[in-house]
Amino acid sequence: MRFGHFDDEAREYVIATPRTPYPWINYLGTEEFFSLISHTGGGYCFYRDARFRRLLRYRYNNSPTDVGGRAFYIRDGDDVWSPAWMPIKPKLDSFECRHGLGTTKIRGSRNGVTAEMFYLVPLGETAEVCRLTLTNDSKTPKALKVFSFVEFCLWNAWDDQTNFQRNFSTGEVEVEGSTIYHVTEYRERRNHYAVFGVNAPIAGFDTDRETFIGLYNGLHEPEVVLTGSPRNSTASGWAPIGSHCLEVSIAPGEGRDFVFVLGYVENPVDDKWEKPGEVNKEPARALMSRFSDSAQVEAAVAKLRDYWSSLLGTYVLESPDERLNRMVNTWNPYQCMVTFNQSRSASYFESGIGRGMGFRDSNQDLLGFVHLIPERARQRILDIAATQFSDGSAYHQYQPLTKRGNHDIGSGFNDDPLWLIVGVAAYIKETGDFEILSEEVPFDNDEANTASLFEHLRRSFHFTLENLGPHGLPLIGRADWNDCLNLNCFSETPDEPYQTTANREGRTAESVFIAGQFVYTASDYAALADHMGFTEEATAAREHAASMKEAILEHGWDGDWFLRAYDFFGHKVGSHECEDGQIFIEPQGFCVMAGVGVEDGKALRALDSVAERLATPYGIVLNQPAYSGYHVELGEISSYPPGYKENAGIFCHNNPWVMIAETRVGRGDRAFDYYKRIAPAYLEEISEIHRTEPYVYSQMVAGRDAVREGEAKNSWLTGTAAWNYVAIAHHMLGVRPELDGLRVSPRIGAEVPSFSVTRKCRGAVYRIRVVNSLAHDEPRLVVDGTAIEGTLVSYAAAGATVDVECET
Ligand code: GLC
Ligand code: GLC
């Protein structure tokens, strides 16, 4: 069942009913100010860091779901309603929400009044702007009262939800004209405040939640709205809110516009005050004046549209499959932008409190983002690398505001270092910017201890080599890519974190996944070393990769698939000898991507085992059989009920590894089949089962062992976005930048008989037309009228246009 439709022209998903199977959200803002907004206006916003600079309070895991954040209320005579449906849930005559690229438009109508809220975070601003348009579609004049509502978070979102003995006494606001200032803690160490204003005179305001809503009322029955009179309350302690009251008369057939601005303002420390005790409001006034009328909003919207058109113009697919086009051209890269910005910090499943930027996560997010804005990818790489330790290991996470490694989670995830090589290689392939390798980058943010970025990569690579176990395979440490394979944890005590507890420290537990990742990474690492003139290092890297390949084939092969790991005791994990967890997806994907077993048929065997044992209609599950009980020697993986998360859920992140592996062995049809099983646009028709947004990937879909098979969770912030982009754009459609040229080598099977890709890369434009006749073993290319050998198209000079004809 569908709950809306794609508007491909407008690049929007149009939601036709407020009763979606779960709140369907969007992200506004791509730079420093971010908003999460659901189709009924729920959500919150923050400046840079969802934990430390949160503007709006939001209650996760609430019932009813998704109340809070922002709202509008309309009083039309005695009728009180909320045009975004929540929180009053009135009967609406019409409802529509359009989530677009950085914009969300929610429209509701009732009794001849239509209210449209158009939200965006304009480029270059640290503010969420909402243009409210009210129209009177009835035959009689309307005299409406409109109430805005936001609830402020006292900045530190963790403290805000836990430290009530303090924060019930700290809240402060100021009101000037139509502008409400949230100034909690400004008196002491903060030099930032929030501002919430509207471009029209107001009939009154409220800033105290208890006064506005009533202590025993819900947001669906705010006292002030029910009585119709603002109280001009001033919050002092307790819960500061922002609410304007507007009195609006509209003649039949007419409309009125209002512009609301909710912004973050930071003053220089020595310019905090206008006079002693008086907050410096100048920057806020300037911000408000930039959005004092509708035309300014229109201009900001146009700028944002141009921005997205230009970003998405980097890779444009035209194919006969409209669902494929909308994934590749719009929604998948859009999600990649969001994961690049948020890593795993703030979604409707990630609270924005617990996790900062992940080392491995952010490196992988780069893969789907780097072609959009390479300069930002460059800065991100330098930030990430600065959280590496000098022995090559790395902080697992860092805080976006401070860019410092997060001590709570620390280090010891032994796959982390290698992802830096993967991220850097992707950046250089896209840009040709080898100079980045010579940038001086600190270890652990210590300016006194720096080395070139290449040296960081060298230490990453050698960290793996210095940490090999009894079978010559890499030690797993706290976990590898699979956060829940905690082979040194041995926890019998509730509340011990699986990832950071090591009750037994042995150098025995090994990961076949990291082994495959090492081989995969080694070829890029060696090529980069060659480019830097480090020929010996390049040769050595290739030799290490060859021995690792042998170690995998000797100790990491189980007969029909690749093993997953050796546990602390040296027992096999992911073997036919095991009772549960006999086969895991990760090493099948990564080892084959790395080329292990491609010559001797093992790769094909492993992938056939995936097809037989792990593939389901909703995607490929992580392992089988699911663990039916807790295994102290395995850790968190066995803590989940069968079919959820890492215990045999469809953990979508690793599905594209298998897709890429299938293209590697020439089975594009299978790759594309797997692709369609999890690509959200193909799941639109089963939204009632899938439940999360049909325009973005979710981290997990419940597997075949689960009670709720097919139900997705953790939408938006997942490495699934980047890897599926790589799988489809680079490997199935087959257009990918390499160090020495643009590879054009499609492997997508007969279902897509022909297509064209326009790819901008390094300043040139490649117009690629593919006839997917599947007649040849290797695709044949004609470049600007001349047939070439192989599938690598040399990079053209910036400004050039290159025509490529490809026949498969
Ligand atoms: C989560 C984490 C990621 C991890 C994966 C598998 O998505 O963000 O780092 O690799 O789970 O456990
Ligand atoms: C939990 C989740 C896992 C995630 C990890 C990140 O273990 O189950 O999916 O990757 O937390 O810390």
Side-chain angles (χ1 to χ4, degrees), residues 420-594:
L420 182 63
I421 303 179
V422 177
V424 172
Y427 167 76
I428 298 179
K429 287 174 187 173
E430 180 68 39
T431 58
D433 173 18
F434 285 95
E435 277 95 79
I436 194 176
L437 294 172
S438 307
E439 290 277 348
E440 279 295 301
V441 184
F443 291 105
D444 192 9
N445 276 293
D446 175 3
E447 290 297 339
N449 181 14
T450 68
S452 69
L453 182 63
F454 184 80
E455 177 60 18
H456 279 257
L457 302 193
R458 199 189 68 77
R459 297 206 195 173
S460 287
F461 192 75
H462 288 269
F463 177 83
T464 308
L465 290 171
E466 280 149 27
N467 288 283
L468 299 179
H471 300 93
L473 298 167
L475 293 172
I476 196 167
R478 288 176 166 178
D480 60 19
W481 173 85
N482 187 330
D483 265 337
C484 298
L485 215 45
N486 318 116
L487 305 182
N488 299 299
C489 175
F490 289 92
S491 179
E492 302 277 11
T493 313
D495 307 326
E496 265 179 1
Y498 288 104
Q499 273 92 29
T500 52
T501 305
N503 287 320
R504 301 206 192 168
E505 294 273 12
R507 290 180 67 84
T508 45
E510 299 167 288
S511 161
V512 178
F513 168 80
I514 303 182
Q517 186 196 14
F518 180 84
V519 179
Y520 176 83
T521 311
S523 59
D524 280 339
Y525 174 67
L528 295 180
D530 270 336
H531 269 267
M532 296 296 283
F534 302 135
T535 326
E536 271 174 44
E537 179 67 7
T539 310
R542 293 189 177 104
E543 285 167 9
H544 289 306
S547 356
M548 189 68 82
K549 221 171 174 172
E550 274 169 40
I552 298 175
L553 292 172
E554 195 177 334
H555 300 292
W557 179 250
D558 193 55
D560 280 310
W561 55 80
F562 294 99
L563 274 180
R564 180 62 177 88
Y566 286 95
D567 72 12
F568 179 87
F569 307 106
H571 299 149
K572 293 172 180 171
V573 180
S575 160
H576 69 284
E577 295 165 17
C578 306
E579 206 174 313
D580 289 336
Q582 296 178 339
I583 171 171
F584 280 68
I585 188 174
E586 304 100 311
Q588 323 313 327
F590 243 90
C591 290
V592 179
M593 277 164 71

Side-chain angles (χ1 to χ4, degrees), residues 344 355 360-361 396 481-484 646 651 653 699:
R344 306 296 169 268
R355 300 165 80 184
R360 79 157 84 92
D361 295 327
H396 194 51
W481 173 85
N482 187 330
D483 265 337
C484 298
E646 281 90 337
F651 215 89
H653 188 144
Q699 179 208 56

Side-chain angles (χ1 to χ4, degrees), residues 753-774:
S754 65
F755 62 91
S756 74
V757 169
T758 306
R759 177 64 153 99
K760 294 186 184 148
C761 191
R762 304 190 187 192
V765 181
Y766 300 82
R767 295 193 304 214
I768 302 157
R769 292 212 321 213
V770 178
V771 178
N772 193 23
S773 55
L774 300 170

